Amino acid sequence: MNVCDVLIKQLADAGVRHVFGVPGDSINSFTDAIRRQDKIRFIHVNHEETGAFAASAQAKLTGTLGVCVGTSGPGGIHLLNGLYDAKCDHAPVLAITGQVETRRLGSDYQQEIDLCRLFDDVAIYNQMIVNPEQMPYVGERAIHAALEGRGVAHLNLPLDISTQKVPHPKAWKIPFQLRRGGIPDAATVHVAANLINRKYKIAILAGIGCYGAEDKVFALAEMLGAPIIHALRAKELFPESHPYSIGGIGNLGAKSSVKVLGACDLLLLIGTDFPYDDFLPKGIPTVQIDISAAQIGKRHTVDVGLTGDTGNVLDALIPFLRVKKSCGFLKFAQAESRQWQTEIQKQTMPTRGMIKPQQLAHLAGVAAPDDTIFVCDTGEVTAWAARHLPIRQGQRFTVSGLLASMAFGLPAAIGAKFAYPDRHIVALVGDGGFSMLMTDFATAVRYRLPMTIIVFNNRKLGMIQIEQESRGMPDYQTENYNPDFAEFAKLCGGDGLSISNPEELPGALAEAYNSPVPFVLNVQIDPQDIPVPPKVTVKQIIYYGVARIKEMLDARK
Ligand SMILES: Cc1ncc(C[n+]2csc(CCOP(=O)(O)OP(=O)(O)O)c2C)c(N)n1
Ligand SMILES: [Mg+2]
């Protein structure tokens, strides 16, 4: 077995079934080793960034290792954005890159880029293999580091080393068991319980770290009469249809959350890395639960930190909590939530004869089959999905959370479809985000991956227009020059439909969701609709007015 054979065997043993990338140059022996076995498939994408995003999305959805590959130099460089997506969202991904022959190292040879140096910031394990005897040891370390550290590992394989025989392929076997389910010590649990037992207006901010423990979080909420606010990626866990779930947080979130966080007397952060601390209440006791001690107090001053798997921590904590008899705070939160839901439902009514993005997001969710996995791109489209896409129990949702990268949607749909071939996949994307990696729609066709890509087509970088105008700048360079995305889909061998009339929407969604081939539903939406944040400052309103005046004056010139 050569270095690549050993590595691939290790990946297969770790449960990896797909490696995404572009073959060629210094990774030919790696792809050849994949060809010679049958556990792992090589998925040939058109752009390495697609491969990295697909691996990241798989890792986020499954919790298992995602793998992507790029050749020395340009191929490796293209992986970076998807790798940062994995790093930021704590997803285990292994990147394998090629390198020039070791005798060429340091000579500025063609495609010689110091990828270990380049990946230094993104990777928690980052190693060039310069001697076949490093295997299988470094292969195992890389896999374990990514899984245990929930981040990116990188192995850089010089061409000459990749084909060399590994003298002792079985010599190393690191006894490895993922550290799952640590529990905090009893004394800390008591301190947390005492604090929580003294408060009657408790708000829970829950993140994706609650995955698998949603029922326990709901049970906790019921005991404490505490409303649950969710961070964006936890939208799949805490649907607003549940009486304790009162909406999202942040600029894309709900007004009810702002009100509740403004009135609570204790904040309980559970499995969340929500970054916008402006939305978190200051000066009240805060208890945080997180699987990683390094996350405790990262975003907010915390009085008690409980480190461990959410489910285990709640099992340890709940027996010490008193059931709250008064539910005034919960009732207040639920009333605020109902009011917000009524407000946003009104926004889904078509006006001016055009399709509203709110209406599109709403109906896209209502019409989606029960097994749907939604993936979402970055832009105003994220706000429409966050607020208006109804997610039912059993459906899934993911997004480029902390990195908030455009172009994630289509690659994530590809990664999701490979991981869950029997489920429906629906990507909600902006026209700008889709344009970035739309070449890989052909990859979905090539691998026969039925999926629906819904383009929220406002012919512009809508989110950037809002950013500019809310800072007093006139709208500048935000228009997109788009081809007809539905025709593009057909040219790729898939199917597509362009619509602009609200009445066409239900029929078009049904056609898209039932398509046996990848489908682009290109929806011309009303570009005037903008997602208004739940907290708007007077300064922003004034700036917005100034920007509109500047735009009018510019138009007259
Ligand atoms: C890779 C990348 N480049 C730039 C940005 C900054 N950015 C955030 S949203 C956005 C506009 C997105 O436009 P579009 O995809 O059309 O979605 P819309 O906002 O119109 O719904 C831009 C440029 C980003 N988040 N990611
Ligand atoms: Mg757009």
Side-chain angles (χ1 to χ4, degrees):
M1 286 171 100
N2 70 26
V3 168
C4 295
D5 294 321
V6 172
L7 182 55
I8 286 155
K9 165 107 183 22
Q10 290 175 309
L11 294 179
D13 288 350
V16 173
R17 293 294 170 261
H18 311 102
V19 169
F20 299 91
V22 178
D25 298 352
S26 54
I27 53 161
N28 281 329
S29 18
F30 183 76
T31 47
D32 190 57
I34 296 185
R35 182 184 63 78
R36 285 185 271 103
Q37 53 81 64
D38 57 8
K39 291 228 169 74
I40 294 181
R41 277 177 85 186
F42 185 80
I43 309 301
H44 172 177
V45 290
N46 290 341
H47 193 303
E48 289 87 351
E49 186 173 320
T50 301
F53 273 137
S56 177
Q58 277 197 342
K60 285 194 248 192
L61 286 166
T62 65
T64 61
L65 189 70
V67 183
C68 55
V69 45
T71 187
S72 48
I77 295 168
H78 268 176
L79 294 175
L80 266 181
N81 202 32
L83 296 181
Y84 272 102
D85 180 61
K87 173 189 158 116
C88 292
D89 282 349
H90 310 285
V93 168
L94 173 66
I96 296 159
T97 58
Q99 187 51 275
V100 299
E101 292 176 78
T102 44
R103 72 191 169 101
R104 302 284 191 190
L105 284 171
S107 71
D108 288 343
Y109 199 61
Q110 193 203 25
Q111 295 195 334
E112 186 198 353
I113 297 289
D114 188 345
L115 288 174
C116 282
R117 203 160 147 211
L118 184 69
F119 285 27
D120 186 43
D121 179 56
V122 77
I124 43 182
Y125 186 83
N126 186 16
Q127 187 61 52
M128 185 189 287
I129 301 181
V130 291
N131 185 318
E133 288 190 55
Q134 286 172 277
M135 290 296 280
Y137 176 71
V138 294
E140 288 208 21
R141 281 210 68 199
I143 293 168
H144 296 176
L147 288 170
E148 172 68 19
R150 301 177 304 131
V152 174
H154 170 228
L155 291 176
N156 190 218
L157 273 178
L159 186 56
D160 53 323
I161 303 294
S162 63
T163 50
Q164 287 185 27
K165 281 225 154 358
V166 174
H168 311 291
K170 293 203 184 110
W172 287 94
K173 186 79 194 163
I174 304 172
F176 175 73
Q177 204 185 3
L178 270 183
R179 180 176 47 83
R180 287 278 179 267
I183 46 165
D185 62 274
T188 318
V189 170
H190 278 120
V191 176
N194 283 339
L195 198 55
I196 294 168
N197 284 336
R198 287 205 301 271
K199 300 290 175 184
Y200 290 86
K201 290 190 268 176
I202 299 170
I204 296 173
L205 173 59
I208 192 69
C210 296
Y211 189 80
E214 307 89 285
D215 289 349
K216 290 178 187 173
V217 178
F218 279 128
L220 175 78
E222 205 176 324
M223 280 184 80
L224 302 179
I228 301 169
I229 296 161
H230 62 258
L232 181 59
R233 285 178 62 215
K235 180 177 168 68
E236 62 172 333
L237 310 180
F238 302 105
E240 278 93 345
S241 52
H242 191 285
Y244 285 85
S245 179
I246 62 144
I249 183 173
N251 275 332
L252 316 182
K255 267 190 202 157
S256 36
S257 305
V258 174
K259 296 258 179 69
V260 165
L261 289 171
C264 64
D265 63 5
L266 185 137
L267 178 64
L268 199 45
L269 299 168
I270 310 182
T272 175
D273 195 16
F274 177 72
Y276 298 102
D277 52 358
D278 286 348
F279 281 86
L280 300 179
K282 310 273 178 309
I284 58 163
T286 301
V287 176
Q288 184 178 2
I289 298 172
D290 203 282
I291 191 149
S292 160
Q295 293 290 121
I296 304 283
K298 180 173 154 192
R299 308 285 185 192
H300 195 56
T301 311
V302 165
D303 296 84
V304 192
L306 301 172
T307 306
D309 172 83
T310 302
N312 288 359
V313 174
L314 292 183
D315 284 345
L317 179 66
I318 284 176
F320 297 98
L321 297 178
R322 278 202 294 272
V323 177
K324 310 272 179 201
K325 299 224 173 62
S326 142
C327 54
F329 187 63
L330 178 69
K331 289 213 169 109
F332 152 75
Q334 287 169 329
E336 289 294 339
S337 175
R338 271 194 303 275
Q339 198 176 328
W340 169 248
Q341 288 300 326
T342 314
E343 195 179 314
I344 62 168
Q345 246 151 38
K346 276 193 209 136
Q347 297 171 12
T348 61
M349 299 298 148
T351 47
R352 293 193 286 271
M354 299 180 86
I355 296 173
K356 289 177 84 73
Q358 298 93 324
Q359 179 195 19
L360 174 57
H362 177 71
L363 289 182
V366 170
D370 288 343
D371 67 351
T372 300
I373 299 174
F374 296 100
V375 298
C376 184
D377 216 290
T378 298
E380 284 179 350
V381 64
T382 326
W384 305 133
R387 288 184 182 169
H388 298 276
L389 177 75
I391 294 193
R392 300 193 295 279
Q393 208 184 1
Q395 293 179 327
R396 303 285 314 269
F397 174 84
T398 197
V399 65
S400 173
L402 209 64
L403 185 64
S405 178
M406 287 166 78
F408 174 80
L410 170 67
I414 293 173
K417 189 67 186 175
F418 275 115
Y420 299 98
D422 299 331
R423 296 184 70 149
H424 284 82
I425 311 291
V426 176
L428 299 101
V429 303
D431 47 325
F434 182 60
S435 297
M436 283 185 171
L437 288 173
M438 65 192 244
T439 174
D440 270 303
F441 184 76
T443 304
V445 176
R446 167 189 185 158
Y447 286 99
R448 298 198 172 86
L449 307 174
M451 59 174 65
T452 304
I453 312 293
I454 303 178
V455 184
F456 283 60
N457 193 342
N458 53 5
R459 281 93 53 208
K460 57 169 44 202
L461 303 172
M463 185 62 110
I464 306 309
Q465 181 181 354
I466 309 176
E467 287 176 6
Q468 292 172 344
E469 290 178 339
S470 63
R471 289 171 178 80
M473 306 169 195
D475 178 14
Y476 180 64
Q477 289 291 331
T478 60
E479 300 84 38
N480 289 330
Y481 180 74
N482 293 327
D484 182 328
F485 296 119
E487 289 305 313
F488 163 79
K490 289 183 200 161
L491 286 173
C492 291
D495 202 357
L497 184 65
S498 288
I499 58 164
S500 55
N501 183 339
E503 277 148 34
E504 295 170 290
L505 201 45
L509 282 166
E511 186 180 339
Y513 290 167
N514 287 315
S515 170
V517 293
F519 195 103
V520 171
L521 182 58
N522 178 31
V523 186
Q524 308 290 340
I525 53 168
D526 187 346
Q528 310 263 350
D529 267 308
I530 54 168
V532 179
K535 263 204 291 200
V536 182
T537 61
V538 178
K539 209 161 144 191
Q540 279 170 325
I541 296 170
I542 296 170
Y543 278 158
Y544 187 74
V546 170
R548 297 314 286 244
I549 292 166
K550 284 185 189 165
E551 281 165 21
M552 280 186 321
L553 294 176
D554 281 354
R556 286 215 199 125
K557 278 184 201 156

